Amino acid sequence: MQSACPRSEPLHVAIIMDGNGRWGLSQGLTRSHGHNAGADAVRRTVEAAPELGVTTLSLFAFASSNWARPTAEVSALMDLFRSYLTTDGPRLIESGARLSMIGRRDRLPPDLARAVTDLEAETRLNDRLNLRIALDYSSREAIMFAATRLGPAATLAELERLIVGDAGIGPVDLLIRTGGEQRLSDFMLWECAFAELWFTRRMWPDFDASDLSEAIADFQRRDRRFGGLVAA
Ligand code: IPE
Ligand code: IPE
Ligand code: MG
C-alpha cells in the first residue's frame, strides 16, 4: 500500500459511507450496531483527513431516500446524529473543523436541526477542515431547487453556487464509496462531474486512516484531463 503525501492545493473528498447495516449483521448484531460503529469510522476519518491534505470532507450520512427505511431504524439514526453532535461538537471546535450541513432541514427532528445550526455557528471561523455532513440529502432535489429558483436565464456559475450551497467549496476531487456497491445513489451528482471515483468492498465501520490514505494515493496517480489532453 502506498501512502498519500499531503499537498498544498485544496482537496475535496466526498464519501458515501455505506455498509453499516451489513457490518452489524455480520457481527451477529443488529443493523443499528453497525450504524454506531460507523460513527467511530467518521471520527477516525475526520481526524485523519487534514493530515492527508484534505481541505473539504463531504460525508453522506442520510439520504432523502433513506426515509423509506423502517421507522425504528430511522429513529435510531436520528438519535445517533444527535449524540454525535453532542459528543463530538467540542472536539470539532477544538480541531479546527468548520461544520456545515447540506440537505433539507425542515423534515429533521427540530432539536437535531437546532443542534446542527448551533454547531455551524460555533465552528464558523474554523479553517482547518470544511466538514460537510449530508442529512436528508438528495442531489437531484438540490439541482431542481437551484434551477427553479434561478430560472432559465441562470448562468452555470450561479447554478453551481446555489447547488453547492457554500461559497468557497470547490467541486469534488475524489469520491469514495465503501460497502462494495458501485453507484452514486443521488449524492453530489453535479459536484462529481469530474471527480475521480474510488470504490472499496470494505464496510464503512472498518474504514480507517490507512484506507483514506490509500484512496488519496491512488487519486494522486490518476491523470485528470477535464476534457483536455495529457500535459507533455
Ligand atoms: C449506510 O449504511 C448508512 C446509511 C444509509 C444511513 P447502510 O445502512 O446502507 O448499510 P447497508 O448498505 O444496508 O449494509
Ligand atoms: C447511500 O446508501 C446513502 C448513504 C450512505 C447515507 P444506501 O445504502 O441508502 O444506497 P443504496 O440504496 O444502496 O443505493
Ligand atoms: Mg447501504
Side-chain angles (χ1 to χ4, degrees):
M1 188 193 69
Q2 201 159 340
S3 342
C5 39
R7 299 186 173 177
S8 51
E9 311 96 70
L11 176 62
H12 184 172
V13 174
I15 309 184
I16 301 176
M17 309 182 290
D18 197 20
N20 291 349
R22 280 167 285 163
W23 184 91
L25 298 177
S26 76
Q27 307 292 305
L29 301 167
T30 61
R31 291 180 53 82
S32 279
H33 277 93
H35 293 310
N36 292 339
D40 289 331
V42 169
R43 292 184 180 103
R44 292 194 289 273
T45 305
V46 168
E47 199 179 307
E51 281 153 29
L52 293 168
V54 178
T55 49
T56 297
L57 180 66
S58 296
L59 301 177
F60 203 7
F62 188 83
S64 297
S65 54
N66 292 144
W67 291 115
R69 296 188 179 195
T71 317
E73 179 164 343
V74 170
S75 307
L77 280 166
M78 295 300 149
D79 290 345
L80 179 62
F81 299 145
R82 213 179 269 115
S83 83
Y84 175 78
L85 294 177
T86 317
T87 325
D88 288 58
R91 200 179 329 179
L92 288 179
I93 299 169
E94 281 262 296
S95 71
R98 181 167 76 96
L99 177 89
S100 53
M101 191 205 124
I102 53 172
R104 283 180 66 159
R105 297 176 188 225
D106 58 311
R107 298 187 295 198
L108 296 179
D111 64 318
L112 174 58
R114 252 191 322 273
V116 168
T117 309
D118 289 350
L119 202 51
E120 285 177 327
E122 283 169 308
T123 59
R124 77 184 191 287
L125 297 177
N126 285 351
D127 59 5
R128 187 156 183 258
L129 175 72
N130 291 308
L131 174 62
R132 310 175 82 220
I133 311 265
L135 281 180
D136 193 1
Y137 176 83
S138 155
S139 181
R140 287 175 302 169
E141 199 171 287
I143 293 169
M144 191 192 69
F145 170 78
T148 319
R149 185 144 156 221
L150 291 173
T155 64
L156 212 61
E158 288 168 332
L159 263 173
E160 174 135 316
R161 177 76 207 281
L162 208 56
I163 291 167
V164 174
D166 199 345
I169 302 289
V172 173
D173 296 300
L174 167 64
L175 176 94
I176 295 171
R177 182 169 186 148
T178 59
E181 318 293 355
Q182 302 192 0
R183 52 179 177 252
L184 295 179
S185 301
D186 202 10
F187 188 49
M188 303 190 97
L189 305 178
W190 178 289
E191 295 89 331
C192 284
F194 287 96
E196 297 296 326
L197 311 181
W198 195 83
F199 299 104
T200 173
R201 286 182 188 281
R202 177 119 42 233
M203 299 291 149
W204 176 249
D206 288 330
F207 192 86
D208 64 16
S210 68
D211 297 309
L212 182 61
S213 179
E214 189 183 338
I216 294 173
D218 191 356
F219 164 80
Q220 287 169 344
R221 290 190 296 271
R222 307 259 182 114
D223 177 23
R224 302 186 82 195
R225 292 191 288 277
F226 301 97
L229 298 175
V230 189

